[in-house]
Amino acid sequence: MPTRARTTSAKTDGAARFEGFADAGCTFFKQLAKNQDRDWFAKHKAEFQEGWERPMLSLLREAKTKLDGAYPDCDIAEPKVFRIHRDVRFSADKSPYKTHIGGALYVKIGQKGMTEVPAPLYVQLGTESFSGAGHYMMDAAQLAKFRASVVDEEKGGELAKIVAKLEKAGFVMGSHDELKKVPRGFDAEHPRASLLKKKGLVVTFPKLSSPKVIAERKFLDEVVTHAKAVAPLVRWLTFHAST
């Protein structure tokens, strides 16, 4: 669940009621994977914008409104739609385009950039598709606060209950990176050792009712239902693992 990539403005023209993405098979991105060429993309840019970029913004804007009640003690920022262009400066792979579109909602915390705080919702569609939420990559200060909260009996106990409930419901917990051992200074036999090893905490939503649903308005309802279910986790991360 990327959180540090460049994003397009949430003020992209043409955002309207979400009615689904261009097609359930993500054909555009499969073609883009075979045509990593700027001339090809220029010829198909309108197809990307109309079929994927604008619907993503519409989806996130409607999701933001629908999720407001699940966040009574914090605000959700305006949607972020990630750029299709890859940052190739430090990559051996010089392919200019991502083969998916990604977009997210972030919790507002002070004046911080929204890329450094928990996400109530992240949606990615393309050659690899999934939806989820959480805090993908914690910085040093956030990680220190997270670990201190995990070992706290009240805060850590609350998190453990939230995680267990989500896993029982079919959500999958993960992290962008994880230590092999419990970090130095913490009890290796701590009951929440598995959480202490994580350098971030994200949750992937259960499978969709059908792959075809992304081309329908019903996709919004399914995503919002899952996002509401994981709101307690995102709120815990907001107040106990963010700076």
Side-chain angles (χ1 to χ4, degrees), residues 60-69 105:
L60 294 173
R61 280 180 167 166
E62 289 198 61
K64 177 180 181 293
T65 299
K66 291 176 179 292
L67 288 173
D68 184 65
L105 296 173

Side-chain angles (χ1 to χ4, degrees), residues 5 11 23 35 67 70 85 104 125 129 137 141 158 164 175 183 188 216 243:
K11 297 181 180 179
D23 75 279
N35 296 276
L67 288 173
H85 301 85
L125 299 171
S129 302
M137 186 183 298
E158 179 187 2
S175 175
E216 304 170 2
T243 54

Side-chain angles (χ1 to χ4, degrees), residues 78-90:
E78 289 302 307
K80 296 287 185 179
V81 179
F82 293 90
R83 298 179 66 221
I84 190 69
H85 301 85
R86 294 181 64 247
D87 185 349
V88 300
R89 291 174 298 172
F90 308 107

Side-chain angles (χ1 to χ4, degrees), residues 3-56:
T3 60
R4 298 181 185 273
R6 296 178 183 177
T7 58
T8 59
S9 170
K11 297 181 180 179
T12 301
D13 293 335
R17 174 184 161 92
F18 176 76
E19 297 294 351
F21 290 93
D23 75 279
C26 299
T27 305
F28 174 84
F29 296 103
K30 292 176 181 177
Q31 294 175 337
L32 181 58
K34 298 177 180 179
N35 296 276
Q36 284 287 312
D37 176 85
R38 288 180 172 81
D39 289 338
W40 185 92
F41 184 78
K43 293 178 182 178
H44 295 82
K45 185 176 181 179
E47 179 184 345
F48 168 70
Q49 291 175 325
E50 294 297 327
W52 299 97
E53 189 173 49
R54 288 175 181 167
M56 177 65 80

Side-chain angles (χ1 to χ4, degrees), residues 172-193:
V172 179
M173 308 305 299
S175 175
H176 87 285
D177 194 11
E178 188 168 330
L179 299 173
K180 293 183 179 180
K181 298 180 179 180
V182 170
R184 184 178 301 177
F186 294 92
D187 180 6
E189 303 300 322
H190 194 281
R192 293 181 288 279

Side-chain angles (χ1 to χ4, degrees), residues 93-208:
D93 180 3
K94 299 302 180 183
S95 301
Y97 304 106
K98 301 171 188 173
T99 56
H100 63 262
I101 185 170
L105 296 173
Y106 292 99
V107 176
K108 281 186 179 180
I109 297 181
Q111 299 301 313
K112 271 186 172 289
M114 293 302 105
T115 56
E116 298 179 356
V117 294
L121 176 62
Y122 173 77
V123 177
Q124 178 175 306
L125 299 171
T127 56
E128 183 181 359
S129 302
F130 66 92
S131 299
H135 198 149
Y136 180 68
M137 186 183 298
M138 298 177 187
D139 62 27
Q142 292 163 346
L143 192 54
K145 188 173 182 179
F146 170 72
R147 289 170 176 167
S149 296
V150 168
V151 297
D152 180 89
E153 283 306 309
E154 182 177 352
K155 298 174 185 176
E158 179 187 2
L159 176 60
K161 290 179 182 178
I162 292 172
V163 168
K165 182 178 180 179
L166 289 174
E167 290 181 329
K168 185 177 182 179
F171 293 84
V172 179
M173 308 305 299
S175 175
H176 87 285
D177 194 11
E178 188 168 330
L179 299 173
K180 293 183 179 180
K181 298 180 179 180
V182 170
R184 184 178 301 177
F186 294 92
D187 180 6
E189 303 300 322
H190 194 281
R192 293 181 288 279
S194 60
L195 290 169
L196 288 171
K197 296 176 185 178
K198 297 183 183 301
K199 292 186 176 181
L201 188 58
V202 295
V203 57
T204 302
F205 296 170
K207 290 183 178 181
L208 298 170

